[in-house]
Amino acid sequence: MKSTRNDYDTPDEERELILVVEDSEYLNDYISKNLQKNNFDVIQCFSEKEAYRELSKNYFSLVILDLNLEEKSSGMNILHSIRLHSRMIPVIILSSI
């Protein structure tokens, strides 16, 4: 997990926090860097376990979620957990299917 908060001009309380859950380091970094360039704060997770830990600690304005994580788990498990705890968080699903 990487926490990548940017240092742009916008005060912290005004920036949106986005969770990116993608096991491909290349894709995770690409998505996160582009979000940061657009003045978002990003927390990167590479596994289901990391995602659950961050979801329990932070409020996110958006979750970008890979359905096909390398683990034996699925992004659908994370999505189900998000929906059980907060129906208000928008989720963008990524899939290479």
Side-chain angles (χ1 to χ4, degrees):
M1 175 214 35
K2 292 189 219 176
S3 177
T4 50
R5 299 204 180 243
N6 61 37
D7 295 321
Y8 296 109
D9 296 331
T10 308
D12 284 340
E13 59 272 1
E14 294 180 23
R15 288 200 300 254
E16 303 284 337
L17 181 59
I18 298 175
L19 178 65
V20 177
V21 184
E22 167 61 65
D23 57 345
S24 164
E25 187 172 351
Y26 172 79
L27 286 174
N28 200 320
D29 286 344
Y30 180 80
I31 293 165
S32 298
K33 286 177 185 174
N34 279 288
L35 289 167
Q36 291 169 341
K37 285 179 187 176
N38 287 285
N39 212 30
F40 294 101
D41 286 331
V42 178
I43 294 181
Q44 296 174 263
C45 292
F46 299 88
S47 70
E48 182 178 11
K49 183 178 180 179
E50 290 177 343
Y52 287 137
R53 182 173 46 245
E54 291 303 321
L55 285 163
S56 70
K57 294 188 318 186
N58 295 291
Y59 174 80
F60 293 96
S61 300
L62 174 68
V63 176
I64 299 176
L65 176 62
D66 178 16
L67 281 187
N68 299 313
L69 299 172
E70 284 186 10
E71 306 168 352
K72 293 182 180 180
S73 63
S74 164
M76 288 301 289
N77 295 337
I78 299 168
L79 179 61
H80 181 70
S81 178
I82 291 170
R83 290 297 170 244
L84 284 175
H85 294 95
S86 174
R87 297 188 182 278
M88 300 303 291
I89 301 174
V91 178
I92 296 175
I93 302 288
L94 303 177
S95 176
S96 62
I97 295 176

